[in-house]
């Protein structure tokens, strides 16, 4: 399957395809349930989309990008929480 240049350009602009966006929305909801007492929704969204953009810029396969972005974001939020409490 060939990817179009339009799809590739959308990733550069930070606009994931619809299925990826829905997965990112679900990831943001999970992260907010887990860390909502420590960070606000905007922070979660910024960290999650930043992580998504980083992994998407190097990916050859898009299937697990939202999952990877969620994991990286969770690690960053856990590190923040540990720093704040430590």
């Amino acid at each position: 399957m060939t990817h179009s240049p339009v799809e590739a350009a959308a990733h550069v602009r930070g606009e994931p395809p619809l299925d990826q966006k829905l997965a990112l929305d679900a990831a943001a909801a999970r992260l907010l349930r887990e860390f909502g007492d420590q960070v606000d929704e905007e922070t979660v969204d910024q960290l999650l989309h930043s992580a998504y953009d980083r992994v998407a810029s190097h990916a050859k396969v898009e299937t697990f990008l939202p999952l990877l972005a969620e994991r990286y974001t969770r690690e960053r939020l856990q590190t923040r929480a540990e720093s704040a409490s430590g």
Side-chain angles (χ1 to χ4, degrees):
M1 177 178 215
T2 307
H3 295 288
S4 76
V6 173
E7 287 177 357
H11 288 304
V12 171
R13 292 189 311 266
E15 300 171 11
L18 181 59
D19 61 333
Q20 302 281 323
K21 182 178 178 345
L22 293 173
L24 287 169
D25 290 346
R30 286 189 295 272
L31 291 166
L32 274 173
R33 280 195 301 273
E34 192 172 340
F35 297 99
D37 59 333
Q38 300 162 21
V39 294
D40 60 15
E41 184 176 353
E42 184 177 334
T43 301
V44 169
D45 284 341
Q46 287 175 342
L47 291 172
L48 184 62
H49 283 86
S50 173
Y52 178 87
D53 290 342
R54 262 193 327 272
V55 295
S57 68
H58 301 292
K60 294 183 192 277
V61 178
E62 298 178 354
T63 306
F64 299 107
L65 294 180
L67 177 62
L68 291 171
E70 181 179 359
R71 287 183 180 176
Y72 290 139
T73 303
R74 180 173 284 107
E75 288 174 7
R76 288 186 70 187
L77 291 170
Q78 286 171 338
T79 300
R80 274 186 170 192
E82 291 167 3
S83 295
S85 67

